[in-house]
Amino acid sequence: MEGMLEAVRKAAVEKYPRKVNRKIQYGTAGFRTREEYLDHVLYRMGILAAIRSQTKKATIGAMITASHNPEEDNGIKLIDPAGEMLEATWESHATFLANVEDEDLASAIKTIVSKENVSMDVTATVYVAMDTRKSSQRLSEALQCGVQAAGGTCKDYGLLTTPQLHFMVRCVNTNNQYGTATEEGYFQKLTTAFCKLRQQIAQKTDNMYKSTLTLDAANGIGAPKAYKLTSYLADYLTIDICNDGSSGKLNYLCGADYVKVQQKPADGMTLHCNARCASFDGDADRIVYYYADKDGKFHLMDGDKIATLVAGYLQELLSRSGLTLNLGLVQTAYANGSSTAYITKNLKVPVACAATGVKHLHHRALEFDLGVYFEANGHGTVIFSENASSQIQSAAKDSSLSEIQRDAAAQLCTVMDLINQTVGDAISDMLLVELILATYGWEINDWDSAYIDLPNRQLKVKVKDRTVITTANAERTALTPDGLQQAVDSLVVKYEHGRSFVRPSGTEDVVRVYAEADTQANADKLAQEVGQAVYNMAGGIGDPPAP
Ligand code: NG1
Ligand code: ZN
């Protein structure tokens, strides 16, 4: 231990000193900030990943990315053994370790080691990958230096999407039961399932589905991976890849976040009537679809629309199979009210609401046999409990069931392989959406017609200290400051279909306001009024929210 601490201290001082005294926090999406502030943080996260690996006696993942943030930013997310996000108590260890002075690093490590009962005799293994940012290679070297200083070994995958690395970690920790921990293994698992299911679809003459898709890859890692993907898809899907990084800038005027927030197509995408377009984000863990109708009007198919499509499809397969497994959908407060009403009333699938951040949705989804979860911004997946997975597998082979039941169970089995259950995955979600549309023989406007989104508006309000706002009820009720929730309530009742809530952002220094109502003008007005209430009651700074 002492030898390791000396090696750690030496590399810290000589190669990765903490040059600036700025506090950094492991938030909902790991560490994320300007790349020039991150070298010492990455080095220290290498150390932490090694200790985490020794604690869990398993391989840990470390993904270098800042997702949809601009090229100038970067960041890191650690991945736990089952391919899930890092456990919350270790998020505090990460924040602690990233912020101590260089001379306190050794004692900080000792504190964590003794708190967590780390087995120092276990050799740590850390799987490392990065997105396409210019700073990623340098930061990956810092991270690997940290792992090695702590006595661990790294496997460097180079360029991967975030969900690909989550997949690799799950594979290796299940002795490759979940899949093979290589990029080839990843593509093989997903696309074999996709092609098998596509092949089974009877080609009806009135099938309106067209197997072409235009993809905006956000000038990020999604582009080279989507090119690779196409070689596995036979004729079942043709992808025309735009914003592939050959000239444009990462996430600039493109990508899933831009499309969702701006409610317009990414630059470089030409929309043809009813032709499907999709956008990935910078690390390819989010996807949104969109199209233009015959009048050229833009329609966004966000995470809510994807979730309802997926939940409806799974419910149909479940009911055909006769299996009595409970299917549920998890959303956040940002889910459009129309989607929640549609799922509850039309699909009759139970809906749960979780706090913002995929780890909250993921945990809530684990309570269902089949848990579908999506954030409105397009991050989501489906998880199958062990019980569900084994019941589905047995039913697919059960000769006492009818052929219809067995076929439905066999299809569900293959669908499980198509889905990256570790985390939201733009590639896997895209294949799932394409499969469902092809199964139903739908054009994108058929999918869109399930329900009409309520007009909505999001605003940001700058306040002196956003922690004065605390919330409950999955962030839908403001507990403090006193009187704010009453103020919101009294504004909401003035509007038909009015709904609004406020919460401090977990990734930006702002308070977010969400409002929806019967018309866009009313949604805008309600958001502005609620924003003004936040500004007045929670210490607004700068300009008040504009109408
Ligand atoms: P914050 O900044 O806490 O609202 C944002 C997104 C989340 C999630 C995280 C992590 C919205 C309203 N919020 O969180 O959904 O994706 O970033 O990337 O889109
Ligand atoms: Zn992302």
Side-chain angles (χ1 to χ4, degrees):
M1 172 95 171
E2 288 307 320
M4 179 274 266
L5 290 175
E6 179 49 29
V8 160
R9 198 201 54 78
K10 194 161 178 283
V13 175
E14 287 172 8
K15 291 169 88 176
Y16 298 110
R18 181 171 179 266
K19 285 184 252 169
V20 273
N21 191 14
R22 76 179 24 244
K23 172 116 171 119
I24 182 161
Q25 194 178 358
Y26 196 100
T28 29
F31 290 112
R32 211 181 273 186
T33 186
R34 294 284 294 238
E35 51 90 6
E36 66 262 35
Y37 302 139
L38 281 167
D39 295 70
H40 72 283
V41 176
L42 270 283
Y43 168 70
R44 292 167 182 211
M45 284 311 103
I47 301 168
L48 190 76
I51 304 175
R52 178 78 178 145
S53 168
Q54 289 173 309
T55 310
K56 300 300 284 184
K57 300 190 175 62
T59 298
I60 293 296
M63 180 71 201
I64 296 152
T65 181
S67 186
H68 59 274
N69 285 33
E71 164 81 42
E72 296 72 30
D73 287 359
N74 215 326
I76 177 165
K77 296 187 242 196
L78 295 182
I79 303 167
D80 262 354
E84 74 279 41
M85 308 265 178
L86 181 68
E87 192 185 295
T89 46
W90 281 71
E91 290 183 359
S92 341
H93 293 336
T95 301
F96 168 56
L97 199 64
N99 289 293
V100 293
E101 301 287 344
D102 288 328
E103 56 268 31
D104 298 330
L105 189 56
S107 74
I109 294 169
K110 270 189 185 163
T111 309
I112 298 171
V113 166
S114 73
K115 241 192 210 151
E116 296 291 344
N117 267 324
V118 181
S119 325
M120 298 304 286
D121 49 337
V122 174
T123 306
T125 311
V126 180
Y127 278 11
V128 185
M130 60 182 181
D131 71 12
T132 53
R133 283 159 214 271
K134 285 187 201 80
S135 58
S136 290
Q137 182 62 43
R138 188 191 85 233
L139 294 171
S140 176
E141 282 159 21
L143 178 108
Q144 294 184 50
C145 179
V147 175
Q148 279 146 12
T153 55
C154 289
K155 177 164 175 163
D156 183 6
Y157 280 93
L159 294 168
L160 287 184
T161 69
T162 297
Q164 281 183 317
L165 185 63
H166 283 257
F167 175 91
M168 305 304 170
V169 172
R170 170 92 151 244
C171 289
V172 68
N173 288 316
T174 56
N175 286 325
N176 290 332
Q177 287 294 305
Y178 186 70
T180 310
T182 59
E183 189 165 65
E184 172 69 14
Y186 168 86
F187 281 123
Q188 279 293 353
K189 182 176 177 189
L190 267 56
T191 59
T192 305
F194 176 74
C195 293
K196 186 170 168 190
L197 289 161
R198 279 290 274 109
Q199 199 187 12
Q200 289 166 358
I201 296 168
Q203 206 51 56
K204 290 181 270 173
T205 45
D206 60 349
N207 193 323
M208 300 301 285
Y209 174 79
K210 290 180 198 69
S211 59
T212 50
L213 168 73
T214 309
L215 174 69
D216 151 37
N219 291 316
I221 184 66
K225 301 310 176 190
Y227 281 119
K228 272 196 188 159
L229 172 75
T230 52
S231 66
Y232 291 86
L233 295 175
D235 289 337
Y236 293 126
L237 180 63
T238 306
I239 310 174
D240 178 15
I241 304 165
C242 300
N243 297 326
D244 66 357
S246 50
S247 55
K249 206 172 157 187
L250 176 70
N251 295 328
Y252 181 65
L253 305 178
C254 62
D257 197 63
Y258 173 84
V259 174
K260 168 74 181 161
V261 174
Q262 302 296 324
Q263 308 258 337
K264 59 180 181 195
D267 256 27
M269 300 284 278
T270 314
L271 272 56
H272 301 286
C273 176
N274 290 347
R276 290 189 309 287
C277 294
S279 283
F280 285 0
D281 75 338
D283 62 339
D285 60 358
R286 290 193 200 175
I287 184 170
V288 294
Y289 272 77
Y290 44 99
Y291 71 100
D293 65 18
K294 59 179 181 0
D295 303 318
K297 187 170 173 259
F298 173 80
H299 294 250
L300 177 67
M301 315 295 286
D302 62 5
D304 300 341
K305 283 259 155 125
I306 298 174
T308 50
L309 182 75
V310 171
Y313 172 76
L314 291 175
Q315 192 197 37
E316 212 177 298
L317 277 181
L318 266 183
S319 93
R320 247 193 293 147
S321 73
L323 286 162
T324 49
L325 294 167
N326 74 31
L327 166 72
L329 198 146
V330 188
Q331 303 184 309
T332 70
Y334 290 101
N336 195 277
S338 292
S339 75
T340 316
Y342 173 77
I343 299 155
T344 322
K345 292 189 194 121
N346 295 60
L347 297 182
K348 306 211 178 341
V349 168
V351 182
C353 185
T356 306
V358 279
K359 70 176 175 207
H360 300 295
L361 286 98
H362 190 95
H363 284 139
R364 185 63 185 83
L366 288 169
E367 292 174 28
F368 297 105
D369 290 321
L370 273 71
V372 181
Y373 71 85
F374 268 89
E375 289 195 306
N377 61 28
H379 188 140
T381 187
V382 185
I383 44 187
F384 296 78
S385 69
E386 266 179 41
N387 168 43
S389 158
S390 71
Q391 280 203 41
I392 291 168
Q393 279 163 8
S394 320
K397 290 180 262 164
D398 186 347
S399 53
S400 71
L401 298 178
S402 73
E403 202 178 322
I404 290 178
Q405 289 179 314
R406 248 196 337 267
D407 279 357
Q411 271 187 54
L412 273 170
C413 254
T414 316
V415 169
M416 284 197 285
D417 281 344
L418 173 57
I419 294 170
N420 184 347
Q421 296 183 47
T422 61
V423 75
D425 181 335
I427 289 178
S428 162
D429 290 341
M430 175 176 78
L431 294 177
L432 183 59
V433 166
E434 294 298 322
L435 168 76
I436 299 172
L437 296 180
T439 307
Y440 292 161
W442 277 0
E443 285 199 272
I444 194 163
N445 52 326
D446 297 315
W447 170 21
D448 195 14
S449 65
Y451 64 86
I452 298 167
D453 273 330
L454 278 171
N456 57 88
R457 177 64 60 206
Q458 274 196 53
L459 280 184
K460 298 179 193 182
V461 183
K462 280 198 183 336
V463 295
K464 227 180 291 149
D465 172 13
R466 71 190 197 281
T467 62
V468 299
I469 298 194
T470 56
T471 63
N473 186 25
E475 305 178 321
R476 291 167 295 185
T477 309
L479 295 176
T480 60
D482 258 4
L484 178 59
Q485 187 56 47
Q486 287 86 327
V488 174
D489 292 342
S490 65
L491 293 167
V492 163
V493 291
K494 298 196 305 184
Y495 297 93
E496 189 96 9
H497 297 294
R499 183 171 76 89
S500 180
F501 65 93
V502 303
R503 57 174 279 277
S505 159
T507 60
E508 281 178 69
D509 192 12
V510 294
V511 176
R512 292 197 200 283
V513 173
Y514 177 88
E516 59 187 34
D518 56 343
T519 65
Q520 190 60 54
N522 282 344
D524 291 352
K525 207 153 164 263
L526 176 57
Q528 194 269 327
E529 289 170 354
V530 172
Q532 187 64 50
V534 171
Y535 187 89
N536 296 342
M537 301 171 79
I541 51 172
D543 294 333

